[in-house]
Amino acid sequence: MVGGDVVVAYYNSETRTFHADDYYMSATSQCDGANGVCPDERIGGKNDVILVSGERRNGITTVTYKRPLQTNEPVNDRPIPLDRETSVIAAIGPLNSRKEANAHAIPDKTVAKENVNTYALSKCAAEQMIHEEAKDIPVGIFRPSCVSQQRRDCTLNTSSTVVKLAKQCPHLRLFMYVSTAFSNAYLKTIDEKIYSPPTHYSYLISLTQLGDDEKHTYESAVRSLAKENVNTYALSKCAAEQMIHEEAKDIPVGIFRPSCVLSTSKGPTPGWIDNYYGPTGLISAGLAGIIRSIYCNPILAAHIVPADMVINALICSAWYSANRYHQKTRPAIPIFNYVSSTDNPITMVEFFGKVFKAGARMPFSRTMWWYCYHLVGDKTAYAIQSLFYHYLFGYILDFFAPITRTKLRLVPLYERMDKVMRVLEPFSTNEWTFINENVHTMWNSLSPQEQAKFPFNIRDLDWDEYVETYVKGVLVHLLHDEMDPETRKYALRRFKRLQVAHYTFQALLYLLVFLFLWILAKSLKLL
């Protein structure tokens, strides 16, 4: 498909408008402003597609468009021949925050040894799988990812549904459940085994079946249950593991537990990321010059892993578990704790330090201020710093925003950042010891050729190199910055001016404080 002439049609639910945009595919990756699946207009071309009409009826979106048979763009557009048939390929996928084509998954792909087909079930779609589709699935990899309040039953109910679906697959070689390394975060040492939570998963499922008129009962029970683990997310993951252990005994099954997943490190697209999960939201705000104080324990390990290494480890764990199951008689469920803190640890202060050093080398071209950050492990100290570093300036700038016609409002943004830090607090202020012997054994079982094809040995990860790639990925894919030489030169010049402004403002502030204290001392006749 590289070199293909593409039209992306969609409905914008925010503006309630239909769109049809002309794209050119120079690479099988998300557009970075120069290469990838890019709108013609973004890479210097013209949108030759004309929207005719759009309609949404009975859950079906129909967009009608037209384009000339011949255009004046020999590179970005392909002529439509009149003397022969032309193939038209249709695909469905997500859009990113810029309403541009995002990376999409291939549902049926050869990914491991022996032509193992991996069918990815995600986002609560299991119940939509009909029986005929399930018959020929040899490997099922399931990761529940519903996070909204409206789908509070997703992790447990859908996991149970998918287990039932897996039991109907006569050719199933393995069912792989993707959990999290923090599923048993109420423990300080987490081994690669199933732990029984204090509350049985059946009780949690019964809570999700309460009606809207019993909302108070549900919320009260959730608050009580949250004390059994660091939060309800970890609690539900732990319960789902228990459910799989009890209900999936008669099928081959494995559990994969990654820690906090960030951007890719090398492939297929270095630095690719499409979400603000974990510390990425805070780092994005920091690179934008918005936040300067972060609540975490600086000396604790940052439990982060690159996405591509996680995928490689997941694929290999599915292959390894399937072979292990069929070589033994009902072995124990293999569990894989895929973490960095055991074999290649990096502390919070080291990670954030590398992030902002990399950010200083390639600053965000629209950053509001020079990068200065403080990692604070004390709640009171953080509250004081947040008041002066964030909210004080936020209220001042928001007060003048109508005059300067600035759309950005800082105070609501700081409130959201505080909410994010509260969510991350259990993971940024606690320490765990992870046992990952199964991951080591799996890695050692691979041949050198297989290790080169599926690199996931976290010991081989160079943190300096990875953080550089990660920061660039955040700038390109989340903050939508450009990486061309002119933009980089402009960003560096602007960043240096902001640095001068920062130190000038700091010097003036210290001078004012000194003058205030001097005048106060004079008035009290202390001098």
Side-chain angles (χ1 to χ4, degrees):
M1 292 295 291
V2 173
D5 190 6
V6 181
V7 175
V8 174
Y10 65 97
Y11 173 74
N12 189 329
S13 58
E14 297 175 357
T15 60
R16 297 184 178 182
T17 54
F18 296 89
H19 296 265
D21 299 325
D22 199 358
Y23 275 62
Y24 176 70
M25 185 182 293
S26 61
T28 55
S29 61
Q30 188 170 311
C31 182
D32 62 1
N35 298 299
V37 184
C38 297
D40 284 11
E41 292 182 333
R42 193 176 175 194
I43 54 176
K46 178 185 176 184
N47 185 7
D48 295 294
V49 176
I50 301 172
L51 177 67
V52 177
S53 64
E55 181 184 40
R56 303 189 81 195
R57 181 181 297 177
N58 299 326
I60 299 175
T61 300
T62 304
V63 178
T64 305
Y65 64 87
K66 63 181 181 180
R67 58 148 285 184
L69 297 176
Q70 302 284 340
T71 69
N72 295 322
E73 295 184 66
V75 177
N76 296 341
D77 291 333
R78 292 287 179 265
I80 299 176
L82 299 176
D83 57 346
R84 61 184 184 275
E85 293 183 349
T86 300
S87 298
V88 177
I89 301 174
I92 298 175
L95 301 177
N96 61 21
S97 57
R98 293 183 62 146
K99 300 300 180 185
E100 293 180 359
N102 204 352
H104 58 278
I106 300 175
D108 193 7
K109 181 181 179 182
T110 300
V111 294
K113 293 184 177 181
E114 302 173 354
N115 293 324
V116 175
N117 288 329
T118 300
Y119 199 102
L121 300 175
S122 63
K123 299 190 183 299
C124 304
E127 295 184 32
Q128 300 175 13
M129 293 287 296
I130 60 174
H131 180 68
E132 290 301 318
E133 289 180 323
K135 283 184 177 180
D136 298 323
I137 299 176
V139 176
I141 297 179
F142 177 62
R143 175 187 176 270
S145 57
C146 294
V147 295
S148 67
Q149 292 294 328
Q150 289 74 19
R151 298 309 304 268
R152 64 194 184 192
D153 61 334
C154 174
T155 298
L156 286 173
N157 281 352
T158 308
S159 298
S160 178
T161 301
V162 175
V163 169
K164 294 175 183 177
L165 175 68
K167 291 180 178 180
Q168 300 175 21
C169 302
H171 305 298
L172 184 73
R173 286 182 56 83
L174 184 78
F175 172 75
M176 200 74 187
Y177 177 74
V178 181
S179 183
T180 173
F182 305 106
S183 58
N184 301 283
Y186 61 95
L187 302 171
K188 290 303 179 184
T189 300
I190 302 175
D191 203 345
E192 294 171 309
K193 65 179 184 179
I194 296 291
Y195 294 93
S196 297
T199 302
H200 197 265
Y201 71 89
S202 58
Y203 173 68
L204 300 182
I205 291 179
S206 68
L207 286 178
T208 66
Q209 297 170 349
L210 295 176
D212 292 338
D213 56 337
E214 299 174 290
K215 184 178 180 181
H216 177 73
T217 303
Y218 170 81
E219 292 177 347
S220 176
V222 167
R223 284 194 296 270
S224 176
L225 289 168
K227 299 176 183 178
E228 296 182 4
N229 213 316
V230 293
N231 57 19
T232 53
Y233 167 75
L235 177 71
S236 63
K237 286 289 191 178
C238 181
E241 289 185 7
Q242 182 193 30
M243 181 274 299
I244 289 172
H245 179 251
E246 294 187 13
E247 295 190 10
K249 289 181 178 180
D250 52 346
I251 62 173
V253 64
I255 296 177
F256 185 76
R257 295 175 179 163
S259 55
C260 184
V261 183
L262 300 186
S263 74
T264 57
S265 60
K266 294 183 179 179
T269 301
W272 186 84
I273 187 170
D274 68 343
N275 64 76
Y276 293 91
Y277 298 155
T280 301
L282 301 177
I283 288 170
S284 300
L287 294 175
I290 295 174
I291 66 171
R292 285 161 286 281
S293 183
I294 299 172
Y295 179 53
C296 69
N297 190 330
I299 65 173
L300 296 185
H303 300 281
I304 53 177
V305 284
D308 52 335
M309 299 183 78
V310 170
I311 296 300
N312 289 334
L314 174 60
I315 292 171
C316 291
S317 65
W319 164 80
Y320 179 83
S321 300
N323 286 348
R324 184 173 178 267
Y325 180 87
H326 294 285
Q327 290 171 1
K328 293 185 178 182
T329 303
R330 296 189 179 279
I333 294 178
I335 300 174
F336 304 89
N337 289 339
Y338 190 71
V339 297
S340 60
S341 57
T342 303
D343 300 318
N344 191 2
I346 181 172
T347 63
M348 295 283 189
V349 67
E350 290 173 334
F351 173 65
F352 281 101
K354 293 178 188 297
V355 163
F356 287 103
K357 283 182 181 178
R361 290 191 293 270
M362 48 179 173
F364 180 39
S365 62
R366 300 186 299 278
T367 184
M368 294 181 62
W369 199 246
W370 185 69
Y371 300 155
C372 52
Y373 71 99
H374 303 270
L375 303 183
V376 186
D378 181 77
K379 276 189 175 182
T380 303
Y382 170 73
I384 295 173
Q385 286 196 4
S386 182
L387 175 63
F388 287 98
Y389 291 162
H390 297 163
Y391 286 97
L392 179 61
F393 290 101
Y395 278 112
I396 293 173
L397 293 178
D398 285 358
F399 177 78
F400 290 103
I403 301 174
T404 58
R405 296 183 180 180
T406 303
K407 294 182 179 180
L408 179 65
R409 295 295 185 270
L410 291 178
V411 172
L413 182 60
Y414 288 136
E415 291 174 347
R416 289 199 297 271
M417 290 297 102
D418 281 345
K419 183 178 180 180
V420 170
M421 290 187 197
R422 286 194 296 271
V423 171
L424 294 177
E425 179 182 352
F427 310 104
S428 61
T429 59
N430 289 296
E431 190 170 16
W432 296 273
T433 299
F434 292 97
I435 309 299
N436 60 345
E437 288 303 317
N438 286 345
V439 175
H440 293 162
T441 303
M442 175 176 62
W443 174 256
N444 293 330
S445 70
L446 301 178
S447 67
Q449 294 78 13
E450 292 165 338
Q451 291 177 352
K453 189 174 183 179
F454 298 99
F456 65 84
N457 188 358
I458 204 70
R459 294 171 179 170
D460 296 334
L461 182 66
D462 185 312
W463 283 114
D464 290 316
E465 180 182 340
Y466 172 65
V467 169
E468 189 93 8
T469 303
Y470 168 66
V471 170
K472 185 177 180 180
V474 171
L475 292 174
V476 172
H477 301 296
L478 297 182
L479 298 179
H480 308 297
D481 206 5
E482 305 293 343
M483 288 291 124
D484 59 277
E486 287 301 318
T487 302
R488 291 298 93 211
K489 290 179 182 178
Y490 165 77
L492 284 170
R493 288 196 304 268
R494 187 171 183 272
F495 192 69
K496 289 179 180 179
R497 289 197 297 267
L498 289 173
Q499 183 181 14
V500 173
H502 171 79
Y503 283 115
T504 301
F505 175 79
Q506 200 173 53
L508 290 174
L509 187 62
Y510 288 151
L511 179 61
L512 288 174
V513 172
F514 173 77
L515 289 175
F516 172 77
L517 294 176
W518 186 77
I519 294 172
L520 181 63
K522 289 283 287 185
S523 64
L524 297 176
K525 297 182 179 180
L526 297 177
L527 294 178

